[in-house]
Amino acid sequence: MGIEFYNLSHRFGYQCPNWPYFRDVRIERMHYMAKSGVLSQTITTTMHVTTHIDAPAHVVQGTPFIDEVPLPHFFGSGLVVSLPKKKWEQITGDDLEKACGKAIRNGDVLIINTGWNKVY
């Protein structure tokens, strides 16, 4: 097809990555295949759990909710750069300039590997 997609998501469910003081994801089975012929579950979770995207409206009043962001905004060409960082160390504009230089173009997706995926 000429295009490759990469899934960067962490798994969702019990003990998945969560904001430090938030409750864990809770999944309760309501129906079982053997009992009801269907599987139904109640899922209780907070917004900021595992891999997710925040809508602009989450942080800036009057901006789009997630269903209002055009689908093409979630796909595109881009770069993956390695910027190893220590705990709570910020990524600066200088870091990005050194890692990308002029290689990044307007509209590109930039994936930054800080190495923290190894501590997940």
Side-chain angles (χ1 to χ4, degrees):
M1 290 178 44
I3 191 168
E4 290 184 59
F5 290 91
Y6 296 91
N7 182 357
L8 302 175
S9 303
H10 289 295
R11 67 173 197 81
F12 176 84
Y14 179 67
Q15 293 187 328
C16 62
N18 202 348
W19 202 248
Y21 53 86
F22 284 1
R23 290 185 187 157
D24 200 354
V25 172
R26 189 175 57 202
I27 301 174
E28 301 170 273
R29 289 196 178 142
M30 304 305 289
H31 294 279
Y32 297 81
M33 294 302 278
K35 175 184 171 185
S36 308
V38 295
L39 176 63
S40 296
Q41 300 168 323
T42 299
I43 299 172
T44 307
T45 186
T46 56
M47 289 173 56
H48 291 93
V49 61
T50 198
T51 309
H52 68 282
I53 186 167
D54 287 335
H58 177 62
V59 292
V60 179
Q61 188 173 359
T63 59
F65 286 91
I66 205 67
D67 63 314
E68 299 169 323
V69 178
L71 196 56
H73 283 58
F74 298 99
F75 302 93
S77 61
L79 300 170
V80 178
V81 296
S82 182
L83 289 173
K85 291 292 180 176
K86 295 179 180 132
K87 188 174 185 177
W88 302 115
E89 190 177 4
Q90 291 184 355
I91 296 170
T92 67
D94 287 341
D95 290 333
L96 296 173
E97 184 67 36
K98 288 175 192 168
C100 305
K102 303 289 181 206
I104 194 163
R105 300 167 305 209
N106 190 23
D108 273 353
V109 174
L110 179 62
I111 298 172
I112 303 169
N113 179 5
T114 61
W116 278 90
N117 59 305
K118 296 176 185 141
V119 217
Y120 154 66

